[in-house]
Amino acid sequence: MKIIYRIALAELQSLFYSPVAWLILIVFTIQCSFAFTGVVDANVVRKAMGYGVGNLTLDIYAGLHGFFKTLQEYLYLYIPLLTMGLMSGELSSGSIKLLYSSPVSNSSIILGKYISLLIYNLILICILLIYVFLGLCIIENVDFWLPFSGLVGLYLIVCTYAAIGLYMSSITSYQVVAALGTLAVL
């Protein structure tokens, strides 16, 4: 078990050494900001025009044009960029031979890399948690569990996308092919 955690820590460190992970976090935060302010603005305009505001928590987070629905429309674009180099980079550089020569099983390597992706996905969800807390501050009589169950659902979706991306990265040694394959499957 220690070996899996060491692989996960090393993979997470190498993930944050590249600018791709940081760029994804910045772009994701900006897109979340635009999506959240757009949804809140639409509800404010609707209320200013005299239309009734029903369940505001449902409208902001889970409605037809809600925050989580908007995020689902472009969330699948980030994962191929993260997962394209996980195993294919190891295969193309030849460093996989070093891992095979050590007393580490294939499943330990894959689990370690997947755990690092789970931690990165948790960071993405923590960014969304900021918008949930902001919604808890601005919505009167908020339905507390609705946004948090939406966050759990988004986390599970992103983890599924990461598993598909890790699989596609492990069947090819070319990073671009792994990214395009992941995007095609998603």
Side-chain angles (χ1 to χ4, degrees):
M1 202 64 171
K2 285 183 181 181
I3 294 173
I4 295 173
Y5 290 126
R6 285 184 184 169
I7 292 172
L9 182 63
E11 189 62 39
L12 198 60
Q13 286 175 349
S14 69
L15 189 66
F16 279 108
Y17 286 148
S18 72
V20 173
W22 291 105
L23 184 67
I24 287 174
L25 284 175
I26 291 168
V27 170
F28 181 72
T29 304
I30 291 169
Q31 283 188 333
C32 288
S33 298
F34 283 134
F36 187 75
T37 55
V39 168
V40 171
D41 181 53
N43 282 300
V44 168
V45 167
R46 196 171 73 205
K47 184 175 181 181
M49 292 178 70
Y51 295 112
V53 179
N55 189 351
L56 196 57
T57 309
L58 183 68
D59 289 341
I60 287 179
Y61 288 108
L64 283 175
H65 303 289
F67 181 57
F68 294 148
K69 175 73 171 154
T70 307
L71 288 179
Q72 279 182 313
E73 292 174 1
Y74 58 82
L75 198 57
Y76 70 94
L77 297 172
Y78 298 116
I79 301 303
L81 295 174
L82 285 174
T83 60
M84 69 181 181
L86 286 177
M87 287 302 292
S88 59
E90 303 269 349
L91 292 171
S92 65
S93 70
S95 61
I96 194 74
K97 293 178 184 177
L98 292 173
L99 283 173
Y100 285 155
S101 67
S102 65
V104 178
S105 66
N106 289 338
S107 60
S108 297
I109 295 169
I110 297 296
L111 278 175
K113 290 182 180 286
Y114 187 65
I115 287 173
S116 70
L117 284 174
L118 293 180
I119 294 170
Y120 186 84
N121 292 340
L122 196 60
I123 294 169
L124 289 176
I125 296 300
C126 286
I127 291 171
L128 294 177
L129 195 61
I130 294 168
Y131 298 102
V132 168
F133 284 138
L134 185 63
L136 292 177
C137 293
I138 64 172
I139 299 172
E140 190 175 316
N141 297 326
V142 65
D143 183 12
F144 184 75
W145 293 108
L146 179 77
F148 290 107
S149 63
L151 286 178
V152 170
L154 284 176
Y155 180 70
L156 292 175
I157 287 172
V158 173
C159 290
T160 304
Y161 292 169
I164 293 169
L166 182 60
Y167 173 72
M168 294 304 289
S169 177
S170 65
I171 62 174
T172 182
S173 63
Y174 300 107
Q175 292 183 7
V176 175
V177 173
L180 292 175
T182 303
L183 193 60
V185 170
L186 295 179

